[in-house]
Amino acid sequence: MMFEVVNMSFALPEMFLLGMACTILLVVAFFKKTGASLAYGLSQITMVASVVLVYRDMGGLEGLAFSDTYIRDALSNVLKIAIFLINIAVLMYSTSYLKARELFKGEYYVLAVFATLGMSVMVSAHHFLTLYLGLELMSLCLYAMVAMHRDSKVATEAAMKYFILGALASGMLLYGMSIIYGITGSLSISAVAAAIQTGSLDNTVLSFGLVFLVIGVGFKLGAVPFHMWLPDVYQGAPTAMTLFIATTPKLAAFAMMIRLLVEGLGDVQQYWQDMLIMLSVLSVILGNVVAIAQTNMKRMLAYSTISHVGFILLGIISGTEAGYAGSLFYALTYAVMTLAAFGMIILMSRRGFEAEEISDYKGLSQHHPWFALMMLIVMFSMAGIPPLVGFYAKLAVIKSIVDIELISVAILVVVMSVIGAFYYLRVIKVMYFDQADDAYEIDAPTDMRIMVSANAVAILGLGIFPGTLMALCASVFS
Amino acid sequence: MEQILFYCFAGVLIFAATMVITVRNPVRAALFLVLAFFTSAGIWLLLEAEFLALTLVLVYVGAVMVLFLFVVMMLDINLSSLQEGFTRYLPLGILVAALITIEMLAVLGASHFGLDIVPSPVPQPDDYSNTKAIGLLLYTTYVYPFEIASVILTVAIVAAITLTLRDNKSRKSQVVSEQIKVRAEDRVRVVKMDSVKPINDQESAS
């Protein structure tokens, strides 16, 4: 049997991540007292170095490796850098949270680095098998992270729900993949695309498998009607874990959707387009309307995530390069905005006070005007108010569906985002116009304060100068 | 002959799988799962995947399920609470299951997967080694997914230990080195006392 010797340098970031994850595991095992701090430092170094490793070969080293199971292209490079960069902030925020609550353990960082490896594998998968294994690697780490706070009943319940529904979704995805394999005879994404292009396949079976793929992706993204787990998990999990599962895994799920639906089954776009329109419209409606009734900040952000997922799907629906670029732009800005929102919750909280309720933010502007301003930027951006980056993201995806003349969907989505503005503005109203019950003490460490401020300022900066990121997203798909 | 065998195995498999999720006793459920593994191993044998069939029996039945039985027996599971809501959701569940089955039959029947569309594979020669073929593919073409699978197993161990091990302060374990180092004078204190207390002290104290 002939076998081509693999070009290892393609997967250098993944190999580095794996090596570092194992190193951190050993460090945690051997240094009992200082293990957690060492693990934190090492995982931050890992993230920074991984960014460098991806950035170094950007543009130059592209193509398939490992018998076509691995791909390195512009999409994977951009998403990997985004994932690693966002994880730096995620780890910093969550460390501040964990330290205050005796949850500061080295295992968290081991799982975080392994989860990052899983995302990285997903992002550059060119084979159903790799995609699935990457997804499982990531999910397994996330389940364990949510369950880590074992004394908390709600966290355990959230972990249980997340695990069972996640396993169900993986099963659906796997079944869809097996049907597609049965009809195309291959698991490689380009081979599947080539088989579909011949047009000799049985379309009934193909769309049957496709339904299961869409369900699996919908579950992982949290689109309606596969959103049930999302509010409970977001609310029940400790905020540090919610922060982790709300940001970068969504980018990985976005990559999964692009790889499966656009690259693999792009030629049967008319089949998945209708399904995605349903998912997207329902997500935007339900997410925005139900969020109005929430009094818990984390739960409200969960419903806001559902509506953001609806927007991300819009760009995919359009089926154009501009639409995909808009979706990518939306997914990236969603991750940055959610990062800042949960970062603010962690910043406000301290031991014994979670700052979860919206009423906890009463009169924040009187005591901490700077952080109230930061929160204002985040909320305005999520509502999609110019000149913040959330506006350009919404504009890009809505423009893409107007271009394919789905005017009714576009109008509905705009109306819904106006309704959605209500609950974002309510947070701002509570912060600026309500009287504080008692004086706040924010005892977050300095690095955390600086990072949250930088994060919110980045939202403002990207909003004023969206061109660079926009052009980067556009270059990925052209 | 082969068809009869297949339908026997498939029938028993479906029965066993249904029993796994419906029987009340978790030990019985685990034993039905063993039966399900055995019958699916039989189906794999019919598919000429001998190595995988044997691995399924050895690994899942021999190791995983035995371990699972131990765990089930050690846990004190409240059976009555497990049954709550079962009958309440049963009609809806049956309706959904029936609908999905009909839809799947419509798509996965002979009209779409018949022998004229998907021809049966050519039988391999007698000296063909399944194990060798899997080994070759596993360490060459699929080395990358194979490595990721091993990472997943590592994470499973890490996650399991993280969730179960805690430094329990109330755990009563022996520290042998400290026991050996103990000297008599650390443990026993000899106090010199008068056998009779002077009366004067007692009076002044009261």
Side-chain angles (χ1 to χ4, degrees):
Chain A
M1 184 182 165
M2 282 305 291
F3 171 65
E4 137 205 33
V5 177
V6 290
N7 188 355
M8 295 280 187
S9 58
F10 276 91
L12 204 58
E14 279 80 10
M15 289 191 285
F16 176 71
L17 273 171
L18 176 58
M20 284 308 281
C22 295
T23 313
I24 296 170
L25 187 59
L26 286 177
V27 166
V28 172
F30 280 102
F31 296 89
K32 273 231 160 96
K33 292 248 167 57
T34 51
S37 311
L38 278 174
Y40 171 58
L42 280 174
S43 48
Q44 289 290 36
I45 292 170
T46 311
M47 295 299 157
V48 174
S50 304
V51 171
V52 174
L53 281 179
V54 179
Y55 186 77
R56 204 189 53 168
D57 295 328
M58 226 170 140
L61 203 60
E62 281 185 4
L64 299 167
F66 295 107
S67 316
D68 295 0
T69 54
Y70 181 96
I71 187 169
R72 184 159 186 165
D73 57 359
L75 176 68
S76 73
N77 283 339
V78 168
L79 277 176
K80 268 183 212 169
I81 288 181
I83 286 172
F84 299 149
L85 281 179
I86 290 170
N87 270 353
I88 292 174
V90 166
L91 287 176
M92 188 181 282
Y93 295 169
S94 46
T95 301
S96 146
Y97 181 92
L98 298 173
K99 268 186 180 163
R101 282 166 192 78
E102 288 172 3
L103 287 168
F104 186 53
K105 287 192 288 187
E107 289 88 348
Y108 174 81
Y109 301 100
V110 177
L111 290 174
V113 176
F114 272 121
T116 313
L117 173 65
M119 293 176 215
S120 186
V121 168
M122 271 171 90
V123 161
S124 47
H126 192 67
H127 198 271
F128 284 175
L129 205 54
T130 341
L131 196 60
Y132 177 73
L133 286 170
L135 176 69
E136 283 305 289
L137 179 56
M138 177 189 84
S139 306
L140 197 58
C141 296
L142 298 184
Y143 304 145
M145 277 165 126
V146 175
M148 252 171 90
H149 191 15
R150 296 197 321 172
D151 296 331
S152 153
K153 216 177 165 190
V154 277
T156 318
E157 188 193 323
M160 208 61 201
K161 278 181 183 157
Y162 193 28
F163 178 68
I164 291 176
L165 287 176
L168 195 70
S170 297
M172 296 273 187
L173 190 71
L174 209 52
Y175 191 63
M177 284 175 178
S178 75
I179 295 282
I180 302 279
Y181 175 64
I183 188 168
T184 58
S186 177
L187 283 169
S188 171
I189 286 173
S190 51
V192 166
I196 291 172
Q197 212 158 30
T198 58
S200 59
L201 296 179
D202 189 341
N203 278 337
T204 321
V205 182
L206 192 62
S207 50
F208 181 74
L210 178 64
V211 171
F212 284 93
L213 290 187
V214 170
I215 291 175
V217 173
F219 254 115
K220 291 296 167 193
L221 278 172
V224 179
F226 313 110
H227 66 287
M228 302 298 187
W229 59 274
L230 218 127
D232 288 344
V233 173
Y234 273 36
Q235 190 183 1
T239 313
M241 320 311 183
T242 312
L243 169 73
F244 200 101
I245 56 179
T247 47
T248 42
K250 293 280 185 267
L251 291 179
F254 173 79
M256 180 168 84
M257 181 163 64
I258 292 281
R259 300 278 182 221
L260 281 178
L261 297 184
V262 177
E263 291 182 4
L265 297 146
D267 278 325
V268 285
Q269 197 225 349
Q270 72 271 24
Y271 292 127
W272 50 258
Q273 196 175 34
D274 292 340
M275 297 181 214
L276 287 192
I277 289 177
M278 298 251 286
L279 293 187
S280 160
V281 168
L282 285 175
S283 300
V284 174
I285 292 175
L286 186 126
N288 281 322
V289 171
V290 179
I292 292 174
Q294 304 307 320
T295 55
N296 184 297
M297 192 78 177
K298 278 158 78 179
R299 212 174 169 81
M300 188 199 92
L301 284 173
Y303 282 105
S304 126
T305 297
I306 294 173
S307 78
H308 285 310
V309 165
F311 277 101
I312 293 174
L313 289 175
L314 283 180
I316 310 285
I317 288 167
S318 75
T320 55
E321 279 170 4
Y324 300 147
S327 273
L328 177 61
F329 185 77
Y330 204 111
L332 292 174
T333 53
Y334 158 79
V336 175
M337 290 188 302
T338 311
L339 177 70
F342 281 107
M344 275 302 298
I345 296 180
I346 291 179
L347 183 91
M348 295 280 303
S349 71
R350 55 181 180 273
R351 201 190 165 84
F353 174 69
E354 291 292 329
E356 272 187 21
E357 299 298 319
I358 294 177
S359 57
D360 290 340
Y361 293 80
K362 266 186 191 168
L364 181 66
S365 66
Q366 294 149 26
H367 298 286
H368 298 282
W370 172 251
F371 289 116
L373 180 69
M374 294 298 114
M375 193 66 164
L376 176 120
I377 290 177
V378 176
M379 287 295 134
F380 269 151
S381 177
M382 282 194 166
I385 292 168
L388 297 159
V389 71
F391 167 74
Y392 292 99
K394 282 197 167 66
L395 184 72
V397 289
I398 291 174
K399 187 169 168 294
S400 75
I401 58 162
V402 169
D403 284 344
I404 60 158
E405 287 168 357
L406 278 171
I407 307 291
S408 52
V409 174
I411 290 172
L412 185 80
V413 161
V414 170
V415 170
M416 280 302 146
S417 65
V418 172
I419 293 175
F422 167 78
Y423 59 88
Y424 296 121
L425 291 179
R426 186 176 56 189
V427 175
I428 295 169
K429 178 231 157 201
V430 166
M431 285 192 310
Y432 277 87
F433 300 108
D434 283 7
Q435 283 301 317
D437 294 336
D438 47 2
Y440 287 107
E441 279 307 316
I442 292 183
D443 52 4
T446 320
D447 58 344
M448 168 95 194
R449 288 163 187 253
I450 295 170
M451 199 66 178
V452 170
S453 309
N455 197 335
V457 171
I459 293 174
L460 182 65
L462 281 174
I464 296 171
F465 306 105
T468 322
L469 188 59
M470 236 15 158
L472 185 70
C473 291
S475 72
V476 165
F477 288 103
S478 56
Chain B
M1 180 62 195
E2 206 170 289
Q3 254 185 344
I4 298 169
L5 266 179
F6 172 77
Y7 282 113
C8 281
F9 279 133
V12 175
L13 175 58
I14 292 172
F15 166 74
T18 322
M19 291 309 273
V20 171
I21 55 171
T22 50
V23 288
R24 282 166 177 266
N25 192 324
V27 177
R28 280 199 195 147
L31 289 174
F32 271 115
L33 197 55
V34 171
L35 179 63
F37 282 139
F38 260 111
T39 41
S40 38
I43 292 177
W44 287 8
L45 272 181
L46 290 180
L47 287 169
E48 297 182 8
E50 298 89 3
F51 178 72
L52 290 179
L54 289 178
T55 319
L56 184 71
V57 173
L58 279 179
V59 174
Y60 275 87
V61 179
V64 177
M65 286 316 296
V66 171
L67 204 66
F68 200 72
L69 271 178
F70 268 116
V71 175
V72 168
M73 285 177 191
M74 276 194 268
L75 293 175
D76 185 22
I77 297 170
N78 188 356
L79 290 180
S80 59
S81 67
L82 288 178
Q83 296 290 322
E84 271 173 27
F86 182 73
T87 43
R88 213 175 103 211
Y89 299 114
L90 192 62
L92 187 69
I94 288 180
L95 184 75
V96 172
L99 267 177
I100 291 180
T101 315
I102 293 168
E103 282 172 4
M104 283 171 71
L105 282 179
V107 178
L108 301 176
S111 57
H112 294 290
F113 279 102
L115 276 180
D116 48 331
I117 300 165
V118 187
S120 67
V122 186
Q124 301 290 350
D126 284 348
D127 59 343
Y128 181 77
S129 169
N130 237 322
T131 322
K132 200 176 164 188
I134 290 176
L136 264 179
L137 279 180
L138 212 53
Y139 293 106
T140 52
T141 313
Y142 294 106
V143 65
Y144 181 61
F146 180 72
E147 290 295 330
I148 303 168
S150 68
V151 176
I152 292 180
L153 290 180
T154 315
V155 169
I157 300 174
V158 174
I161 293 175
T162 312
L163 295 184
T164 50
L165 182 82
R166 44 167 77 174
D167 283 334
N168 203 337
K169 295 272 158 45
S170 64
R171 193 173 53 206
K172 292 182 177 62
S173 59
Q174 293 182 318
V175 185
V176 179
S177 58
E178 285 191 15
Q179 286 177 328
I180 293 171
K181 271 187 269 173
V182 159
R183 294 167 305 162
E185 46 266 38
D186 293 339
R187 290 289 169 92
V188 183
R189 191 159 57 95
V190 180
V191 185
K192 288 259 161 44
M193 286 180 79
D194 297 333
S195 53
V196 177
K197 286 193 175 177
I199 298 171
N200 300 354
D201 287 8
Q202 235 171 14
E203 278 178 344
S204 64
S206 64

